[in-house]
Amino acid sequence: MLRLGRREFGAHEPVIMAIVNRTPDSFYDQGATFRDEPALERVEQAVAEGAAIIDIGGVKAGPGAEVSAEEEARRTVGFVAEVRRRHPDVVISVDTWRHEVGEAVCEAGADLLNDAWGGVDPKLAEVAARYGAGLVCTHAGGVEPRTRPHRAAYEDVMADVLRVTVGLAERAVALGVPRESVLIDPGHDFGKNTRHSLEATRRLDEMVATGWPVLVSLSNKDFVGETLDRPVKERLLGTLATTAVSAWLGAQVYRVHEVAETKQVLDMVASIAGHRPPAVARRGLA
């Protein structure tokens, strides 16, 4: 059972996490949801299309202008409070590696801290424990936040992913984070080249076998673009193919830009796997 905020999700229940970037320079939408009004519209649309989690980020993942903790909090805290007011049952996640920001957004109503940089600030897990919030434990290859990998090398990339993510998850629980609210993430593109991310996807069932719920953040990433030689705006099909494979191998949570398309893929895979009945089943029965 995965428990986040007021929501509980069964073992075979796929969960969509919709991305809402509060940044002026995000790689995908170039700041389309930086202002409050379009960002709130994005939340409304994502919830209507089937997202159970809204993931709010105040700092671009890649290199760019310096963003202080104070500025990151300014971009996210008030927005978290407004989303909480409008959507009391939605799970609110905040994509941050800083404990100061984690503290402020938890005070404002966040349910989940999405630590995409692999525990670079060890105090973030302490914040999650103090507030009873969930935590995403990610493999980032030990790189500094907002830096790109350079000649990343692993003897066995999945062995390293398992060592890091399970270690972070066990530490979080030891600190007091609820066990049912901890997820692990292989960290596609983070501290990895394209071949590493493809191998991590291919071996995702090894993460699932640990018993920790697995979150994947695949949406329009560079490993998809390089694999198919497609620019950012032409990566949806590759993303959805990777989503289908990840679902078949047992991942549970999907951090995405395109909610409606992802939901159809996840529903179809769940039905093939026998976890979900068809929405309509008339063929051959008339």
Side-chain angles (χ1 to χ4, degrees), residues 74-168:
R74 189 191 68 78
R75 295 176 180 183
T76 55
V77 175
F79 188 72
V80 167
E82 182 60 17
V83 174
R84 177 85 294 148
R85 186 186 71 81
R86 296 188 182 203
H87 299 278
D89 293 326
V90 77
V91 178
I92 299 177
S93 169
V94 176
D95 181 351
T96 186
W97 74 89
R98 292 165 164 152
H99 76 273
E100 307 96 324
V101 176
E103 183 105 33
V105 296
C106 285
E107 282 284 348
D111 305 299
L112 177 64
L113 297 176
N114 182 10
D115 181 10
W117 292 102
V120 68
D121 181 347
K123 292 183 180 179
L124 189 65
E126 298 172 14
V127 170
R130 193 157 56 249
Y131 284 89
L135 184 69
V136 179
C137 300
T138 307
H139 180 273
V143 300
E144 288 295 313
R146 307 193 67 199
T147 60
R148 299 195 188 282
H150 179 68
R151 300 192 182 279
Y154 302 93
E155 286 189 16
D156 183 327
V157 66
M158 182 50 74
D160 204 69
V161 167
L162 292 171
R163 177 184 64 81
V164 171
T165 59
V166 171
L168 289 170

Side-chain angles (χ1 to χ4, degrees), residues 7 9 40 45 54 63 67 76 81 91 104 116 139 143 154 168 180 195 203-204 227 238 249 252 258 262 264 280-281:
R7 302 286 299 274
F9 305 96
L40 289 168
Q45 178 186 9
I54 301 298
V67 180
T76 55
V91 178
H139 180 273
V143 300
Y154 302 93
L168 289 170
E180 64 273 17
R195 288 184 174 84
R203 298 173 61 187
L204 206 61
T227 299
L249 293 176
Q252 184 165 16
E258 292 93 358
T262 301
Q264 285 194 44
V280 177

Side-chain angles (χ1 to χ4, degrees), residues 203-246:
R203 298 173 61 187
L204 206 61
D205 55 340
E206 295 177 42
M207 294 190 75
V208 174
T210 66
W212 298 99
V214 174
L215 179 151
V216 288
S217 183
L218 312 167
S219 195
N220 302 290
K221 282 194 167 178
D222 285 349
F223 83 96
V224 175
E226 287 194 356
T227 299
L228 301 177
D229 194 17
R230 291 289 184 268
V232 171
K233 293 298 183 179
E234 296 178 16
R235 298 176 183 175
L236 176 58
L237 291 178
T239 296
L240 295 178
T242 314
T243 298
V245 171
S246 299

Side-chain angles (χ1 to χ4, degrees), residues 20-26 33-36 39 56-60 65-80 94 98 101 105 146:
V20 180
N21 288 316
R22 304 309 317 283
T23 61
D25 54 356
S26 55
T33 54
F34 184 47
R35 295 186 299 108
D36 286 351
I56 299 163
V59 184
K60 176 183 177 181
E66 175 66 24
V67 180
S68 66
E70 292 76 16
E71 173 60 17
E72 184 184 356
R74 189 191 68 78
R75 295 176 180 183
T76 55
V77 175
F79 188 72
V80 167
V94 176
R98 292 165 164 152
V101 176
V105 296
R146 307 193 67 199

